[in-house]
Amino acid sequence: MNNKWLIFDMDGTLLNDNYILPKLTNEFLFYAYEKGYKLAIATGRPYFAIKENLPPKTFNLLSLTISYNGSRIDYNGKTHFNKVNVNLIEKLSGKFAITISGDDGSFYIDKKEYATEILKRYKTKVKDLKDFKNSHANHLRLVFKSKNEAKKTFNWIMSKKWNIKYVINLSTSLFILITKKHSSKGSAINKVLGSDANITFFGDSDNDLSAMILPNVKSVTPSNGNFNCKKIADIILKNDNNKGLWIDLD
């Protein structure tokens, strides 16, 4: 059985800075598919965003999609949710983490007092609560209308001097995501494919490190991947995500 996989992050890797799939990258996906590789997406975005940002023929090449940073897995015609208890809105436990995500990555807050303070401050701005309750989207989103508002949020969080790891872009679509504490791209990939799969993972930010460090993964980052990705990558491409991805395959 063919067990060779190419798995791609979306923003900053598969898509260019305008959230469009470059022609070269699209050609590479078809080339890999014809070579017998199985193709997958692993992203922090919702599932519907994968379909919206890929041409239908390209989307149909995918054998696996991982969305919400590992909280949703679509594989072999089935959807699996790493469900989150909606009561977290009022009462959080140490079993869960909040992820603050921007276009370039995220930081993780896994201390109850931090999470509670963030939710208390922004409770009136919570979006998509209906979908969240119905388990169609295992997340809460706080959407900001401008870069200025996102910047104020970022500065407020940083002023708290919390001991957190962060990589963040002050984008117009900053949001708060609540997931299971150990949900990640890497944990989802390992759960579905196991340690026997031959995987090449393409990523560009700290949000991709959990997948890039898996022992059975060859890691690839574009030329504009961040410092941490370049530090551990097996291959650093000459092209950035705007010009497009390509590596020769066996």
Side-chain angles (χ1 to χ4, degrees):
M1 184 180 84
N2 177 23
N3 208 18
K4 296 189 296 184
W5 288 84
L6 300 184
I7 305 179
F8 301 85
D9 165 56
M10 286 186 68
D11 297 325
T13 305
L14 195 71
L15 305 179
N16 65 20
D17 290 347
N18 294 315
Y19 308 110
I20 296 171
L21 182 69
K23 180 180 178 182
L24 180 63
T25 302
N26 196 44
E27 291 175 352
F28 174 62
L29 293 175
F30 279 88
Y31 158 72
Y33 184 82
E34 291 170 1
K35 282 275 192 178
Y37 284 77
K38 294 181 180 180
L39 306 179
I41 297 291
T43 180
R45 288 196 186 203
Y47 174 78
F48 68 80
I50 302 174
K51 299 188 73 172
E52 286 182 351
N53 284 273
L54 295 179
K57 289 183 178 179
T58 305
F59 178 82
N60 289 336
L61 300 179
L62 300 176
S63 297
L64 164 69
T65 61
I66 295 169
S67 50
Y68 300 116
N69 280 331
S71 287
R72 173 171 173 165
I73 299 170
D74 289 84
Y75 185 52
N76 286 338
K78 296 182 179 180
T79 299
H80 306 274
F81 286 108
N82 194 358
K83 293 185 179 180
V84 176
N85 188 336
V86 75
N87 291 329
L88 287 174
I89 300 169
E90 300 296 339
K91 186 176 181 180
L92 294 172
S93 76
K95 295 179 180 178
F96 295 87
I98 286 187
T99 303
I100 311 291
S101 296
D103 291 340
D104 283 344
S106 37
F107 58 79
Y108 303 89
I109 300 173
D110 58 8
K111 291 191 176 181
K112 180 179 177 180
E113 59 268 30
Y114 299 169
T116 302
E117 188 167 349
I118 291 174
L119 287 183
K120 182 178 180 180
R121 180 180 175 91
Y122 292 108
K123 186 175 179 181
T124 58
K125 295 183 180 180
V126 170
K127 306 293 184 181
D128 296 340
L129 190 55
K130 182 178 179 181
D131 285 343
F132 179 81
K133 287 181 177 178
N134 292 333
S135 295
H136 297 311
N138 287 280
H139 70 298
L140 299 177
R141 289 197 305 162
L142 307 184
V143 180
F144 300 93
K145 296 179 180 180
S146 67
K147 269 194 174 183
N148 184 51
E149 190 176 3
K151 187 175 181 179
K152 286 181 179 178
T153 305
F154 176 81
N155 288 339
W156 173 75
I157 293 172
M158 296 312 297
S159 73
K160 309 301 289 185
K161 296 183 180 179
W162 289 335
N163 183 22
I164 53 178
K165 179 180 180 181
Y166 67 92
V167 177
I168 198 162
N169 179 299
L170 301 178
S171 69
T172 57
S173 58
L174 193 65
F175 60 89
I176 287 180
L177 175 70
I178 300 181
T179 64
K180 285 283 182 71
K181 185 172 181 179
H182 297 295
S183 291
S184 68
K185 295 179 182 182
S187 63
I189 290 170
N190 190 56
K191 178 179 179 180
V192 175
L193 302 181
S195 59
D196 294 331
N198 183 346
I199 301 169
T200 301
F201 185 92
F202 295 74
D204 75 303
S205 74
D206 279 18
N207 203 28
D208 301 312
L209 296 177
S210 64
M212 295 176 74
I213 64 173
L214 291 174
N216 57 322
V217 165
K218 177 189 289 185
S219 56
V220 182
T221 194
S223 63
N224 58 338
N226 78 7
F227 173 81
N228 289 329
C229 287
K230 288 182 176 179
K231 186 176 179 180
I232 68 170
D234 297 297
I235 300 173
I236 300 175
L237 300 175
K238 293 182 179 179
N239 285 354
D240 61 19
N241 62 305
N242 293 299
K243 292 182 179 179
L245 309 179
W246 189 283
I247 60 172
D248 292 328
L249 300 171
D250 297 331

